[in-house]
Amino acid sequence: GIDLSVFSPKESDFRAKHGIGDRFMVLGVAFGWGSRKGLDVFIRLAQRLDPEKFQIVLVGTDDAIDKQLPPNIISIHRTANQTELAEIYAAADLFVNPTREDTFPTVNMESLACGTPVLTYRTGGSPECIDASCGIVVDRNDEEALYHAILQIAEKKPFSPEACRQRALQFSEKEKYNE
């Protein structure tokens, strides 16, 4: 479970601070970025998504990862605390998790709790917290489907922050610990 008092919709100056403006912000969060977590997928997405309309932000990077990233990806090494991370989730338009192996990614739940929909691969437990009200699941390694889902979500905006938050309520740490 997650702490729903920390991971919740929040006001944030993140977009202004990083010059994102009204571009559609695609967020990725991982610790230990690499092929397993889909770093290569984000690098290829950065080549395909129009930089005038889209901004990719990756959290949990480091100097070695920065050397692999194209200049149109914003790299955030660390957040000061969970509240700052929640502000970044809340600032995003879409959380993308192209993980190739995961048990039950906390990042998906954190994103939903902050009101941000999730797009993920059908990998391990990754799709389990997603339903039609809060995100899309595509087949593992189907980058074409992932790309088109991003475009569709950016254009149609089918998921509300309220629906995402509602879905996340079932992952409250208090209830899950008791369970």
Side-chain angles (χ1 to χ4, degrees):
I2 56 170
D3 185 342
L4 293 171
S5 67
V6 172
F7 292 98
S8 63
K10 300 181 179 325
E11 291 297 317
S12 171
D13 65 348
F14 182 85
R15 293 175 77 94
K17 189 164 46 170
H18 292 278
I20 296 169
D22 63 355
R23 286 180 287 163
F24 191 85
M25 183 176 149
V26 175
L27 176 64
V29 175
F31 301 97
W33 277 108
S35 176
R36 254 182 60 240
K37 296 295 184 178
L39 179 64
D40 56 313
V41 175
F42 280 108
I43 291 170
R44 285 188 292 278
L45 281 172
Q47 296 166 352
R48 294 185 74 182
L49 294 171
D50 180 352
E52 298 291 318
K53 297 178 182 175
F54 293 90
Q55 178 61 63
I56 295 174
V57 175
L58 297 183
V59 175
T61 56
D62 58 29
D63 290 335
I65 297 299
D66 287 350
K67 291 175 184 171
Q68 300 175 53
L69 298 179
N72 62 333
I73 292 180
I74 295 173
S75 171
I76 307 295
H77 288 197
R78 303 194 96 135
T79 56
N81 53 49
Q82 288 186 323
T83 300
E84 183 183 2
L85 180 58
E87 289 173 3
I88 297 170
Y89 279 121
D93 295 297
L94 178 64
F95 179 72
V96 175
N97 187 5
T99 183
R100 292 184 170 104
E101 55 182 72
D102 226 317
T103 51
F104 195 78
T106 306
V107 290
N108 289 357
M109 294 179 283
E110 292 170 348
S111 179
L112 292 175
C114 294
T116 303
V118 175
L119 171 59
T120 191
Y121 279 162
R122 190 176 323 283
T123 305
S126 197
E128 290 182 32
C129 66
I130 311 301
D131 69 12
S133 72
C134 62
I136 296 176
V137 178
V138 300
D139 287 337
R140 183 177 184 260
N141 290 325
D142 191 344
E143 288 184 36
E144 198 62 26
L146 191 79
Y147 171 73
H148 287 290
I150 292 169
L151 297 180
Q152 173 192 351
I153 294 166
E155 181 183 329
K156 296 183 179 176
K157 298 182 180 28
F159 309 112
S160 72
E162 297 79 20
C164 294
R165 176 71 180 175
Q166 189 62 39
R167 179 72 176 158
L169 293 178
Q170 67 184 310
F171 303 108
S172 165
E173 70 179 357
K174 291 175 185 168
E175 290 180 29
K176 290 300 169 190
Y177 292 153
N178 290 335
E179 196 177 285

